């Protein structure tokens, strides 16, 4: 490691979101009342552009917080606002939170966003954008996807019915284009200017029906078309695919991650592109580790890929509340520092780490 910081939270943590001047948001996913939502100030060394020497303060600090009566399974900061949006069981409704001003340490709940036929639906996956107005893209199934203006609660868009498959991920590619990923691995493109148009992209390789998938999208450099950025998908068996949305008839690359045998579910699968490193992505959700890969040498053979770095800190951190080894529940990349990642685990551990650059690698 070049650098490693750890912080212990009071409960299993599922969410991490960088926002608001490098503030970090985390939330708990326990089934009991009182799941914390916290805004943390990172260690000072993470707030500087250049790597500094020894720093006397190496801990995260809690700046403000609140409590959710329901488990928080998804959390997104709404850009250019002081709002957060969360979702979680028992239905597909959304909760909106106001991050208080500097003179207060409270994150308070404001009126929720109800969804049509939300009762009985699984929790909603969410994405946010503020290109035109503060919007949230949300839905639990392919035929339940919509965009809501966060402040006015106005419905901006509702996707045409493309089936009732459960969603695993969704994203804004730009202010007009949406990408939806089903748990089966099916990708669909939607354009909010054409509500009745839902275009299916390339399917996944032939796999067992029980296999579940998630996706990661990459935001390219300014001036590049969003569709030119590859979409990565990860399955619960460790299969990785890269897809160019401009040519959906074939895969850019196929690979197999070096992960343990899949468990009973894919609840914490996570894949993400490095925003400041060309061709690098990270995966987690199989055990107490985070794997980083350089995809630039991948081809369509589907052979096992060698990670360029494996973060094992959570695996050695002790057992979770159930007595089981800790499981990484989520990870995310620092927006400016190329090799810096933040990861959280089922034992409440929060790690931020930066690995030493291997010669010739990312």
């Amino acid at each position: 490691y070049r650098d490693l910081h750890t912080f212990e939270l009071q409960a299993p943590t599922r969410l991490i979101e960088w926002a608001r001047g490098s503030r970090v948001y985390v939330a708990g996913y326990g089934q009991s009342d009182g799941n914390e939502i916290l805004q943390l100030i990172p260690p000072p060394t993470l707030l500087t552009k250049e790597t500094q020497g020894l720093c006397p303060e190496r801990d995260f600090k809690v700046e403000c917080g609140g409590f959710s009566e329901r488990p928080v399974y998804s959390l997104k900061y709404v850009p250019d606002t002081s709002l957060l949006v969360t979702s979680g069981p028992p239905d597909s409704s959304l909760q909106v939170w106001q991050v208080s001003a500097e003179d207060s340490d409270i994150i308070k709940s404001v009126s929720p966003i109800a969804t049509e036929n939300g009762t009985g639906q699984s929790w909603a996956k969410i994405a946010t954008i503020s290109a035109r107005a503060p919007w949230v893209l949300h839905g639990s199934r392919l035929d339940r996807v919509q965009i809501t203006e966060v402040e006015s609660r106005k419905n901006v868009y509702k996707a045409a019915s493309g089936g009732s498959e459960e969603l695993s991920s969704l994203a804004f590619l730009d202010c007009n284009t949406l990408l939806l990923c089903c748990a089966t691995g099916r990708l669909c493109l939607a354009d909010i200017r054409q509500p009745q148009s839902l275009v299916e992209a390339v399917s996944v390789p032939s796999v067992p029906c029980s296999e579940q998938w998630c996706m990661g999208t990459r935001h390219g450099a300014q001036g590049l078309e969003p569709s030119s950025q590859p979409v990565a998908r990860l399955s619960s068996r460790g299969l990785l695919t890269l897809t160019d949305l401009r040519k959906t008839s074939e895969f850019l690359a196929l690979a197999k991650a070096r992960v343990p045998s899949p468990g009973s579910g894919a609840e914490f699968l996570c894949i993400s592109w490095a925003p400041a490193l060309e061709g690098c992505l990270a995966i987690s959700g199989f055990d107490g580790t985070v794997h980083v890969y350089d995809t630039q040498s991948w081809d369509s053979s589907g052979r096992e890929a060698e990670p360029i770095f494996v973060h094992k800190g959570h695996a050695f951190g002790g057992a979770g509340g159930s007595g089981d080894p800790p499981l990484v529940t989520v990870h995310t990349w620092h927006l400016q520092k190329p090799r810096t990642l933040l990861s959280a685990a089922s034992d409440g551990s929060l790690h931020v780490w930066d690995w030493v650059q291997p010669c010739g690698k990312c």
Side-chain angles (χ1 to χ4, degrees), residues 3 17 200 224 315:
D3 206 0
E17 182 85 345
E200 182 172 356
L224 288 180

Side-chain angles (χ1 to χ4, degrees), residues 49-61:
K49 292 184 178 180
E50 300 296 331
T51 301
Q52 303 295 311
L54 292 176
C55 180
E57 182 56 68
R58 296 179 60 83
D59 285 338
F60 287 86
K61 289 185 176 180

Side-chain angles (χ1 to χ4, degrees), residues 301-333:
S301 66
R303 66 174 181 266
E304 184 175 274
E306 180 77 22
I308 61 172
F309 188 79
V310 179
H311 174 60
K312 301 180 180 179
H314 297 285
F316 297 113
S322 64
D324 297 325
L327 173 68
V328 173
T329 55
V330 70
H331 72 266
T332 189
W333 295 79

Side-chain angles (χ1 to χ4, degrees), residues 61-255:
K61 289 185 176 180
V62 178
E63 189 169 31
C64 56
F67 290 93
S68 171
E69 295 181 354
R70 62 171 69 199
V72 181
Y73 276 29
S74 187
L75 177 152
K76 292 294 180 182
Y77 167 67
V78 183
D80 305 321
T81 73
S82 58
L83 299 174
L84 305 173
V85 180
T86 65
S87 65
D91 54 39
S92 60
S93 64
L94 308 181
Q95 286 67 53
V96 181
W97 304 83
Q98 175 75 52
V99 179
S100 300
E102 294 180 359
D103 58 349
S104 173
D105 60 358
I106 302 298
I107 297 177
K108 61 182 180 180
S109 175
V110 296
S111 57
I113 297 175
T115 54
E116 183 181 356
N117 297 325
T119 303
Q121 297 290 327
S122 59
W123 60 279
K125 283 64 179 180
I126 54 179
T128 55
I129 196 172
S130 287
R132 299 174 182 171
W135 285 356
V136 56
L137 169 66
H138 56 103
S140 59
R141 296 188 176 276
L142 197 56
D143 57 356
R144 303 288 182 187
V145 175
Q146 61 189 75
I147 296 175
T148 302
E149 190 172 302
V150 178
E151 295 172 325
S152 68
R153 306 297 195 270
K154 177 183 176 182
N155 183 267
V156 177
Y157 165 84
K158 186 173 182 181
S161 177
S164 59
E165 292 179 59
E166 182 178 353
L167 289 173
S168 65
S169 323
L170 41 70
F172 283 102
L173 296 181
D174 56 32
C175 61
N176 292 314
T177 314
L178 319 174
L179 185 62
L180 316 173
C181 180
C182 298
T184 60
R186 178 186 177 197
L187 283 180
C188 291
L189 280 166
D191 191 319
I192 67 172
R193 296 163 296 187
Q194 302 173 358
Q196 300 307 311
S197 174
L198 197 63
V199 179
E200 182 172 356
V202 65
S203 59
V204 295
S206 178
V207 294
C209 296
S210 59
E211 194 157 359
Q212 297 187 55
W213 293 77
C214 68
M215 75 168 180
T217 57
R218 184 177 179 215
H219 300 286
Q222 188 174 3
L224 288 180
E225 289 294 327
S227 60
S228 69
Q229 303 304 307
V231 176
R233 279 175 288 180
L234 170 67
S235 83
S236 54
R237 295 175 61 87
L239 187 62
L240 290 151
T241 72
L242 303 184
T243 303
D244 186 337
L245 295 178
R246 299 168 301 179
K247 189 176 182 181
T248 60
S249 60
E250 59 187 46
F251 296 108
L252 281 176
L254 290 171

